[in-house]
Amino acid sequence: MMELAKRFLGKNCIIYYFDSQACGVIAQVDDDAILIQTKRGEELLNLNFITRIMEYPSKK
């Protein structure tokens, strides 16, 4: 999962975990965590609980 999550570095994403989600730019991916920049600040998410990562759709 870590190697796949690294594909989204620097992109604005929606990250799904348990029954919730977080939106932000993925700043860093480590062995067991993802650091994201959100509107409210930084969030650290455990990779073991993430079920889906999707690049945030943008209007073209």
Side-chain angles (χ1 to χ4, degrees):
M1 183 69 163
M2 179 183 70
E3 293 300 321
L4 294 174
K6 285 185 179 182
R7 291 183 181 187
F8 293 98
L9 276 174
K11 296 182 181 178
N12 194 18
C13 296
I14 303 171
I15 302 168
Y16 297 91
Y17 57 97
F18 285 123
D19 60 347
S20 187
Q21 66 186 21
C23 298
V25 177
I26 296 179
Q28 187 176 351
V29 178
D30 284 333
D31 293 334
D32 58 350
I34 290 181
L35 178 68
I36 62 171
Q37 300 286 331
T38 65
K39 292 178 182 178
R40 295 176 284 171
E42 294 181 337
E43 287 188 40
L44 190 61
L45 303 173
N46 189 330
L47 262 176
N48 295 325
F49 301 120
I50 293 174
T51 57
R52 180 179 175 193
I53 300 174
M54 182 177 84
E55 188 172 354
Y56 198 82
S58 61
K59 295 182 181 180
K60 293 185 179 183

